[in-house]
Amino acid sequence: MITHDLQQQIFGMAKNCGLFIDIGCNVGVMTIGALLHHQQLKAIALDPSQTAVKLVKRSVKANKLGDRCTVVNAAVGDADGTAHFTDSLGNAMAAVQADGDIVKQLSLSNILNAYPDVKKLVKIDTEGFETVILKDLDNVKNKQDVTFIIEVHNLGYNNGNPSQVFSMLKKQDAIIKSLNGEEITSLPDGEISQILVSF
């Protein structure tokens, strides 16, 4: 869910980063906006939806950002392999789920570890699949160089589990804050939360 606060947070935080990784980029609003705001920034936009990826690529080309943006048609998860993806609406609003078409899946750690000496801002908006993605956090190196902005979905939504997400992050000694900078001590099960995570 794109909100003005989220957009401003991303644009502000990207100023001090070399790489923006947009996991669940959808049509690329955050990716394109961040690149247009910050000339030093490079980006990787990932989404399992072919429809979304086509639209992002079109925007990247129209804005002449091809030398700074890589668009990848893949889901992100806790291991390299495949995932099931449903795009039943025929548009960019879809999700990784237990059924659906088989799509390529890349692990969070392999994506992040490929850029060891770069300060990274990572947005995760994957409609509940963040619970699976963050299981790979143990394998991410140099966490101190990574800041996450994560949309955590309510309990049961596409197997989302806010309590499990919170526990996985705390196990890694993460500092978890709201978008307005207040420290968070738990995540509610019944609503969507947008959080900032650093190490």
Side-chain angles (χ1 to χ4, degrees), residues 59-186:
S59 292
V60 166
K61 184 176 179 180
N63 287 284
K64 299 181 171 101
L65 297 169
D67 60 331
R68 295 172 46 214
C69 185
T70 302
V71 183
V72 181
N73 187 198
V76 176
D78 59 343
D80 287 342
T82 59
H84 291 274
F85 178 74
T86 184
D87 194 3
S88 59
L89 299 176
N91 62 28
M93 299 300 290
V96 174
Q97 296 182 337
D99 56 358
D101 296 331
I102 294 176
V103 296
K104 180 179 181 178
Q105 178 174 287
L106 303 174
S107 71
L108 176 68
S109 61
N110 282 345
I111 295 166
L112 299 186
N113 293 342
Y115 303 91
D117 300 321
V118 178
K119 190 165 177 168
K120 297 170 279 294
L121 176 62
V122 180
K123 177 191 74 80
I124 300 177
D125 182 2
T126 53
E127 309 304 315
F129 203 64
E130 64 276 355
T131 304
V132 173
I133 293 170
L134 292 172
K135 289 178 182 176
D136 192 34
L137 201 53
D138 279 339
N139 299 313
V140 173
K141 299 174 184 171
N142 301 320
K143 289 183 195 71
Q144 71 280 1
D145 293 330
V146 183
T147 301
F148 290 94
I149 297 179
I150 306 170
E151 184 166 278
V152 181
H153 288 77
N154 49 301
L155 182 64
Y157 182 79
N158 197 23
N159 296 315
N161 188 328
S163 297
Q164 187 177 357
V165 166
F166 188 83
S167 294
M168 286 187 286
L169 292 170
K170 288 313 258 183
K171 180 183 169 195
Q172 299 293 324
D173 296 321
I175 299 164
I176 307 169
K177 295 184 177 181
S178 66
L179 291 186
N180 63 11
E182 295 174 5
E183 192 155 345
I184 292 176
T185 57
S186 66

